[in-house]
Amino acid sequence: MTDISHDRLLIIDFGSQVTQLIARRLRELNVFCEIHPFNTVDDAFLKDFNPKAVIFSGGPSSVFAEGAPMPPQSVFDLGVPILGICYGQQVMMQCLGGKVERGHGTAEFGRAFVAPTQNKLDVLEGWFLTEKEQVWMSHGDHVSEIAPGFEVYGTSPNAPFAITGDAARNFYAVQFHPEVHHTPNGARLYENFVRLAGFKGDWTMRAYREEAIAAIRAQVGDAKVICGLSGGVDSSVAAVLIHEAIGDQLTCVFVDHGLLRKGEAEEVVTMFRDNYNMPLIHADEQELFLGELDGVSDPETKRKIIGRLFIDVFQKHATAVGDAKFLAQGTLYPDVIESVSFSGGPSVTIKSHHNVGGLPEKMGLKLVEPLRELFKDEVRALGRELGLPASFIGRHPFPGPGLAIRCPGEITREKLAILREADAVYIDQIRKHGLYDEIWQAFVAILPVRTVGVMGDGRTYDFACALRAVNSVDGMTADYYPFTHEFLGETATRIINEVPGINRVTYDITSKPPGTIEWE
Ligand code: XMP
C-alpha cells in the first residue's frame, strides 16, 4: 500500500474516555500510533500490525466483570515493551499472575500524589521532579499483588502499586493516567517509554499525508466521492487531501446560501477551482435560502430552514455528479466519540459530526473521513504540508448557518449587505493590528434596532452593530478579547465612516457561559 516505513505503536483501547489523549501525547513525540478496540485485537491482528510497543489504555470495566475486556495473551509474547494504564495495569497483572482487588472504599478519583520507592527504573528517568509527583487517578479496583518479575517504583496512599515495572521484559504499568493534563509530568513517562522501545520519532505530517492518501485510495477504489466544501479549514484540508489521493473522482459542492461573508464565495471558488484544479460545483442558491428565510426571526426556525435546504441543495447537486458512493467529511478526532462499544460486537461506536447532517443515510453514502484521527492543530499542520495558503489555514471558525445567526431578528438583504461591509472593516482592523491569530473568533452582528445619531450637520437613523471577539480552546467556553480602548475607538470610527447604514458600534463583553459566541 505505502512504502512509508515507520515504527508503529499499538494502543489497545479498553474504553477509557481519555484514550485519545494517549495518542495525542505520542503524536507530540512524533511516534506513529493507532488506537484499536480490544475486541478487534487478536493474534492475527498483532502479527499483521507488528507493533514496536503496545499501550493498554484505561477503561471503565472491572476485571471481575463477566466477559471483562482482555488483550490476547500472545501480546505478552511479542517481545515488545508494554505500558499498562489504570485498567490496563490491572489487566496486565491479572494476565501475568498478579492479583486485583475490588475497590471497597479505596477508590481514588482525581488528584493524588505518588512518592518514589527505593527502586530505580529507566522509564522513570526525570519523572520524580518533586518528592511527591501529582498524578490523576480514576479507579475503583486496584492491584493487590503484583505479578512475578515486577517491582514497585511508586506508591500513593490508596494505590500501593501506583508505578510498577518488570525492567527485564520492559513491561510497565501505572495506576494513574499520565496522559491527562492533571498529571503534569506525565508526558515524560511516555517519552521515556518510547525511547526505551527504540522509536525514532520519525512520524510527521508528511508521513501522515502519505498514509492517508494510501488509505483513501484503498477505501474508495475507483468510486466517486462528493465533498461539501464550506471554506472552513477542516473541509478544505479534507478536500485537498482526497483530491491528491483520487484526483477527479472527487467533486466538491460549495453551497452559497447567501449568508457568506464579503468575498467569501469568490475566495473559496478561486482557490479550489483555479489553484487546485478541482472539480467544484458552485451552487448559487442565494435566492432559495433568502426567499425561505424571508420574514423569519426565530433563531431555531432559521437554523432548521437552513439545515433542511442545505441537505436538499447538496443532494440535488450531488446527484448530478452521478453515482457517488462516498461522502467526504472533515470530521476531527474530538468529534469522534471516545469510547468503544463492548457489547455491540467488534465495531467501534462513533458519533460522526455530520456537517451535512443526515445525508449519508438519506443518500446511501459511505463516509470518507481522512481527518478522523487528527486534532485541530494537526489538521492545520497537515494543511500547511499540503500547501494550503496560511491565510486559509488560520481562518477563524465560521458557523454553517453563516450570517443568518449574526443578524438577530428578520434577515433582509439590506441588513446582510451592511453586515458584510462592517465585518470586513472589523476583520481588516484586527489584521492590521496583528491580532487575527491571537483571537479565536471575531465577527460583527447587526442588531435589529436603529438608533439616532448625528453626522456632519445631519441627523442619522441607522442600525447599531455589535463587535464580538473571543478567545476559546474548543468553542465550549469562551471569554471576550480584551481589546484596548484605542483599538475599539478606532474601529468604531472606521465602521461608522466606511459603512453606510451603521451609526452606532458596541462591543460585546459577554463570556460563554452565560452567553454563547454567536448571537443566535
Ligand atoms: P456558540 O454560539 O454555540 O458557538 O457559542 C460555538 C462555536 O460553534 C460555532 N457554531 C456553529 N458551527 N454550525 C457550525 O458549523 C452551526 O450551526 C454553529 N453554530 C455555532 C460558532 O461560530 C462558534 O465557533
Side-chain angles (χ1 to χ4, degrees), residues 178-432:
E179 62 276 18
V180 304
H181 185 67
H182 300 290
T183 302
N185 201 17
R188 175 56 64 94
L189 197 69
Y190 289 110
E191 195 180 335
N192 290 347
F193 177 70
V194 298
R195 183 175 42 76
L196 280 183
F199 282 90
K200 293 192 287 289
D202 57 358
W203 189 77
T204 57
M205 267 307 144
R206 173 156 308 168
Y208 184 88
R209 168 188 186 171
E210 295 188 25
E211 293 248 333
I213 286 173
I216 293 164
R217 287 185 183 144
Q219 183 190 5
V220 168
D222 54 9
K224 285 187 183 159
V225 180
I226 47 169
C227 175
L229 202 59
S230 68
V233 182
D234 305 342
S235 66
S236 301
V237 171
V240 172
L241 183 67
I242 295 169
H243 188 247
E244 205 166 292
I246 58 168
D248 290 356
Q249 281 166 253
L250 171 73
T251 303
C252 292
V253 181
F254 173 65
V255 178
D256 181 350
H257 47 22
L259 301 160
L260 298 168
R261 290 166 292 187
K262 187 177 178 182
E264 191 157 25
E266 297 74 26
E267 215 181 306
V268 172
V269 172
T270 306
M271 159 137 145
F272 286 95
R273 213 178 256 166
D274 299 353
N275 293 356
Y276 283 93
N277 206 15
M278 221 183 263
L280 172 69
I281 296 171
H282 177 187
D284 184 349
E285 300 285 356
Q286 301 189 46
E287 294 306 318
L288 173 72
F289 280 82
L290 297 183
E292 294 238 3
L293 287 167
D294 194 25
V296 176
S297 58
D298 176 65
E300 274 314 295
T301 314
K302 285 181 188 174
R303 280 176 175 272
K304 289 206 175 95
I305 291 172
I306 295 167
R308 171 173 56 78
L309 291 178
F310 198 91
I311 290 187
D312 289 351
V313 166
F314 191 86
Q315 188 168 12
K316 181 175 86 185
H317 291 282
T319 310
V321 171
D323 56 341
K325 296 265 185 305
F326 293 91
L327 174 74
Q329 289 192 338
T331 314
L332 303 192
Y333 212 168
D335 302 328
V336 176
I337 202 158
E338 294 96 338
S339 56
V340 297
S341 150
F342 293 114
S343 51
S347 66
V348 187
T349 310
I350 54 165
K351 180 188 69 186
S352 289
H353 175 89
H354 291 287
N355 299 329
V356 278
L359 253 182
E361 296 80 16
K362 209 169 160 185
M363 296 179 65
L365 295 170
K366 293 196 197 100
L367 288 175
V368 184
E369 298 177 305
L371 312 182
R372 270 191 69 218
E373 293 179 347
L374 299 185
F375 292 86
K376 187 86 178 181
D377 55 332
E378 292 178 319
V379 170
R380 292 202 160 110
L382 180 60
R384 281 191 288 275
E385 176 64 36
L386 289 163
L388 275 123
S391 58
F392 235 81
I393 289 168
R395 289 176 110 196
H396 290 173
F398 186 65
L403 300 182
I405 57 174
R406 295 177 180 178
C407 191
E410 282 189 30
I411 301 166
T412 65
R413 285 162 210 259
E414 181 203 6
K415 280 204 259 180
L416 287 175
I418 296 170
L419 175 55
R420 278 194 190 97
E421 292 305 320
D423 193 72
V425 172
Y426 180 44
I427 298 299
D428 182 58
Q429 271 289 101
I430 288 175
R431 283 195 192 280
K432 280 201 173 124

Side-chain angles (χ1 to χ4, degrees), residues 22 99 141 243 473:
I22 303 175
K99 284 208 176 100
D141 299 344
H243 188 247
V473 175

Side-chain angles (χ1 to χ4, degrees), residues 303 397-401 405-406 440-441 475 512 516-518 520:
R303 280 176 175 272
F398 186 65
I405 57 174
R406 295 177 180 178
W440 199 74
Q441 190 172 11
K512 172 183 181 178
T516 55
I517 296 174
E518 304 288 347
E520 288 189 336

